[in-house]
Each structure stands twice: as C-alpha cells, then as structure tokens.
Amino acid sequence: MTSIGTGYDLANSIFSPDGRNFQVEYAVKAVENGSTSIGIRCKDGIVLAAEKVITSKLLKQGANKRIATVDRHLGIVYSGMIPDGRHFVDRARDEARGWRDNYKTPISTKDLAGRMGGYMQAYTLYQSVRPFGITAIIGGYDSELETPVDGEVGSGPSVGAGGKVEGKKHGGPFLYMVEPSGLYWGYYGAATGKGRQAAKAELEKLDLSGDGESTGLTLEEAVKEAARIIYVAHDDNKDKEFELEMTWISGADGPTKGRHQEVPEALRKEAEKYAERMTAKDVEEEEETKEGGDKMEE
Amino acid sequence: MEFGNSGVLSEGADSRTTTGAYIANRVTDKLTKVSETIWCCRSGSAADTQAVADIVQYQLGLYEMVNARPPTTQTAAAIFQEIAYSNKDRLTAGLIIAGWDARHGGQVYNIPLGGSLHKQSYAIGGSGSTYIYGFCDANWKEGMEEAEAVAFVKEALKEAIKWDGSSGGVIRMVVLTEKGADRHLYLPDTDYKVRHQ
C-alpha cells in the first residue's frame, strides 16, 4: 500500500478523509505544466492569446491552432492536455449549436460557460472517467443589437419595437475561465498554464475593470498588452522557442463586427514588436538596478 | 388580433368556440399566457393550439428557472415556430405571439398555418380576420398610445364579430407593458362599451 500512496488518489468519486479529490488536483498539475494562455476583457472586446511552444522544427509555422472558434461570437483557448482541449471545444460547439436549434438565437457567453462548467464537473464524479487536463478560457461578445429569431421574416414597425427600458445596456464582452474541477468564474483578465503567475501579475496592472466608455484599455491596446504578457510569461522559459497566437472579438461596430477572428497579421506583428521592445527594456532596467545595487555596497 | 407599439402591446380576441354550427363555448379565453408578459392568440383547432401553448409555457418556465432571467418574445416565438413547423402536417394552428420584454419592448410575431415566422407591426388571424383587413389597414397607426391601441383593437374585433358568423360573444384583451399584463373584458350587453373586471 505504501508504494501506491494512500489509495485515495486512484479514482475519481472518492474523497480523501480530509475532503480532497486527488484526481482533480493531479489534473490541475497537468494544466500548470501546459503552455500559457490568457484572455483579456476590455471595454470594447475580448482578446485571447496563447503561447505555442515549438516542440519540433518540422512543425509548419502558424499551423496547429490552439485557439478555437465555437460560434461566430465565441472563442476558447486552453492550457494543458491539447487533446482534452480539443474534445472540450467539440463539446462547446455542440452546446452552441444545440442552443441555436432550441432558441433560434446565439448562446450567450455566460450560458456557454455554465454549460461547459457543468460538463467539466461531470468528469470529476465517475469511476469510468478522469477529469479534464485543461483549464479553458472562454471569451465571447454577446450582441448589443436587437437579435432577430433565426429565420424570421419581416420586421416590426419602422419606428422600432418600443417600450424598451431606457438606458439599459445589453450584451457586451465577457470572459470566463473553467478549471478541471468544473469551477468557473467571470474575469476581467484570465491566465492559465506555466506562466500564469507572471501573466496574472501583469494583467492586474492593466485598467480592465472600468465599465465606462472613456476609461480602460481599448481593444487595440489590449492586443498589444496580450502579446507583451505572453512574452513576459515566456521569459522564465527562454531556452524554448515559441509562437504567439492571438484572436479577438469586437462589438458589431468594431473591427471584427462581433465575430471571433484571428488578429490580422499586420497588427500581430506590430504587437510582437511592442512586446519584444517592452520585455527587452525590462531586462535593461533590471541590469541597471543590479549595477546600482553593486555601487551602493562598500 | 394583436398589435404592438411604443410601450404598450395590446392583444384581443372574441370568445366563440364552435363545433360545426354549434357554439360550444360563448365565453372562451383565447388569449393564453405563456410567460408573465408573453401571451399568444390562438386560432384554428382549440385542442391543437392549447396543447402547443401548454408545451411552450412549460419550456419558457423552465428557461426562466435555468437561466435566471425571463425569456424574450423571440425565445417564445422560436419555440412556437419549431413546434408549428415540425408538426405542420398534424396541426391546425394559427398563432399570434405578443410579448413585452425589457430588451425589445413590445413585439408581435405571427405564425400562420405552415409554421413560418413573421415579425409584424400588428397581426390579425382567425376566421374573423378576413373581414377586417380593410379596417385595420385604414385605421392602424404607428406609435399609438395605450388607450388608442385598446380602442383600435376593440373596434376591429367589433367589426369581425359583426360580419363573421364564427366570431362572437365577449371581447377579451390583454395589455402588456413594463408593469405586466392588464386584462380587459367587454360584453355585448353594453355594446362592448363598458370595461368589466
């Protein structure tokens, strides 16, 4: 028995006497070793970014995408076991499709996060399965416009359907993160994977909580910051080369017109230049302070 | 018939249910609630439309509990339409869905016999409607106030009752606003002039 530990870590659905599910904790370990992914919710959209560590020179550049589109307005990025992530995304697509079939309208980000949280949680309950070895970041932009029923014909009065509650806003950008336990929260900025600590520290410095139109990061700024944060998070893992993958979602009046899309190459390159410049500056400053520190000593 | 405008949505119907020439019910309530401020106007087979409305009422109730928010008129219309279309060979159901929700205000959807879905400014349906197309076209205005809307619906129904042998009895209405659903009842004894209830 000693060689196999306490025995409480052998299967799901068995609690240890102090109330832990070891299988879930091991799944979290798998995530912690995965490459970094982040999500940013800013006032006019969502940015998802992934650090893709290059495991072989034989892999085609830009191929093997890590960020997936689930519905027109929804994207998912995940850290951990990639096949688990792919299955998770497949399920998310089924959920989004199913919602459209039932209600003839796109699923909201919140509702998808709820469904996917439930799905993850179910994999912590049974002997026959293991938990997901991923933490997923779900980003979406729920339309702020009036959404028609899919397939409806005609329109209401030309003055528009009246009687709306004045000043009430609908839709907007939303970001959720789902963990192997099935736990999910809504976030302004989310990070997971190997570089999550550094990434979270950087995310906390950004002005993301401002809901007002005038304050807070713009989508373009968020793209640059996302790139920088992935570069910062990769810093501890310098010996390995990586590719940066980024997607974004804006509102109907923004650059992606409410859709989840890859960040255009030009903007991504610009963001990467900015990221390189900023990370190089950090290193210089560090070295300067070190030297300064030396001088102070007598 | 139903009708939507700025802030108010008013839906009305006569009260006659027939089996052939026999009036099976002279005080029928054809306005059926499927959620607090989403109502439907049933025409065609009473059995079919009641069954469909029951299913939708259940679905919307479930939706409200699961998603912790009231359904929109769109949601209701989508569920009605799916049932009407996928069972088109078995159903005789003409449905008008009228609803008020915080996001879209008052809206009217029409689902005629084949199960298609039409968003309209106002909708009329059922046997009596053929007699009032002209009346509605001539008298409907965009953005009527609540009292105007109620009067319009009532006058239209009075015409339908006057000319159509299969329509008659009392006039029932519901006014849907931010405040909820307000029911009206008008009796033929007083020439539909007095609001009861």
Side-chain angles (χ1 to χ4, degrees), chain A residues 52-116:
Chain A
K52 228 159 56 181
V53 178
I54 298 169
T55 49
S56 165
K57 291 265 183 246
L58 296 173
L59 286 170
K60 185 171 179 271
Q61 256 187 29
N64 305 310
K65 295 289 182 222
R66 281 277 309 285
I67 310 177
T69 302
V70 165
D71 200 340
R72 269 149 62 157
H73 62 300
L74 291 164
I76 292 185
V77 63
Y78 48 87
S79 294
M81 301 175 71
I82 287 154
D84 284 26
R86 296 232 171 92
H87 175 77
F88 183 84
V89 165
D90 281 350
R91 176 66 187 206
R93 287 180 179 142
D94 286 349
E95 291 290 350
R97 180 73 249 162
W99 185 282
R100 281 193 116 101
D101 288 344
N102 274 328
Y103 302 118
K104 311 279 165 71
T105 192
I107 191 169
S108 72
T109 314
K110 181 185 175 181
D111 289 319
L112 182 73
R115 298 282 184 100
M116 296 316 292

Side-chain angles (χ1 to χ4, degrees), chain B residues 105-129:
Chain B
Q107 292 183 105
V108 175
Y109 281 95
N110 190 10
I111 303 174
L113 233 49
S116 57
L117 181 66
H118 307 262
K119 186 175 164 76
Q120 294 177 359
S121 311
Y122 70 91
I124 52 177
S127 64
S129 69

Side-chain angles (χ1 to χ4, degrees), chain B residues 17-40:
Chain B
T17 302
T18 52
T19 41
Y22 178 68
I23 299 169
N25 187 349
R26 66 191 181 100
V27 287
T28 320
D29 192 357
K30 301 179 191 177
L31 304 175
T32 306
K33 182 168 95 169
V34 288
S35 87
E36 215 46 59
T37 55
I38 305 171
W39 290 60
C40 76

Side-chain angles (χ1 to χ4, degrees), chain A residues 7-280:
Chain A
Y8 290 112
D9 62 348
L10 296 181
N12 260 319
S13 82
I14 294 183
F15 276 116
S16 80
D18 47 352
R20 293 157 64 183
N21 181 340
F22 286 112
Q23 281 295 311
V24 169
E25 292 182 22
Y26 299 156
V28 171
K29 290 270 181 255
V31 174
E32 287 173 356
N33 290 322
S35 55
T36 314
S37 354
I38 62 162
I40 295 177
R41 192 205 90 136
C42 56
K43 64 180 175 188
D44 48 1
I46 293 286
V47 181
L48 299 178
E51 168 211 35
K52 228 159 56 181
V53 178
I54 298 169
T55 49
S56 165
K57 291 265 183 246
L58 296 173
L59 286 170
K60 185 171 179 271
Q61 256 187 29
N64 305 310
K65 295 289 182 222
R66 281 277 309 285
I67 310 177
T69 302
V70 165
D71 200 340
R72 269 149 62 157
H73 62 300
L74 291 164
I76 292 185
V77 63
Y78 48 87
S79 294
M81 301 175 71
I82 287 154
D84 284 26
R86 296 232 171 92
H87 175 77
F88 183 84
V89 165
D90 281 350
R91 176 66 187 206
R93 287 180 179 142
D94 286 349
E95 291 290 350
R97 180 73 249 162
W99 185 282
R100 281 193 116 101
D101 288 344
N102 274 328
Y103 302 118
K104 311 279 165 71
T105 192
I107 191 169
S108 72
T109 314
K110 181 185 175 181
D111 289 319
L112 182 73
R115 298 282 184 100
M116 296 316 292
Y119 189 64
M120 285 271 248
Q121 194 272 340
Y123 278 73
T124 68
L125 291 172
Y126 305 103
Q127 291 268 341
S128 53
V129 293
R130 61 168 176 78
F132 278 82
I134 59 157
T135 285
I137 297 170
I138 301 172
Y141 202 110
D142 302 341
S143 179
E144 64 274 69
L145 306 175
E146 285 181 12
T147 46
V149 182
D150 289 351
E152 77 176 31
V153 175
S155 60
S158 59
V159 290
K164 284 170 251 201
V165 175
E166 286 292 325
K168 202 173 170 189
K169 277 183 139 193
H170 300 276
F174 295 99
L175 190 70
Y176 288 85
M177 185 159 74
V178 196
E179 294 169 28
S181 62
L183 180 84
Y184 68 97
W185 295 113
Y187 290 92
Y188 290 122
T192 180
K194 195 172 253 169
R196 71 197 172 285
Q197 297 292 8
K200 276 182 197 168
E202 292 301 321
L203 284 168
E204 281 171 15
K205 290 179 204 161
L206 303 177
D207 177 20
L208 299 175
S209 57
D211 277 322
E213 287 295 314
S214 55
T215 60
L217 229 58
T218 65
L219 191 55
E220 272 80 4
E221 284 165 348
V223 166
K224 287 185 170 180
E225 293 306 322
R228 185 180 65 78
I229 291 169
I230 289 290
Y231 270 67
V232 169
H234 181 76
D235 223 34
D236 299 330
N237 202 12
K238 254 190 200 133
D239 48 321
K240 287 182 186 140
E241 276 189 55
F242 77 103
E243 260 178 45
L244 172 67
E245 190 178 323
M246 280 199 295
T247 61
W248 60 347
I249 320 167
S250 76
D253 52 355
T256 80
K257 298 185 168 57
R259 287 164 180 269
H260 176 244
Q261 285 174 342
E262 198 169 341
V263 172
E265 197 180 328
L267 182 56
R268 198 197 72 225
K269 290 247 165 83
E270 196 188 319
E272 286 195 85
K273 260 188 210 156
Y274 168 79
E276 273 165 23
R277 210 165 56 233
M278 293 307 282
T279 41

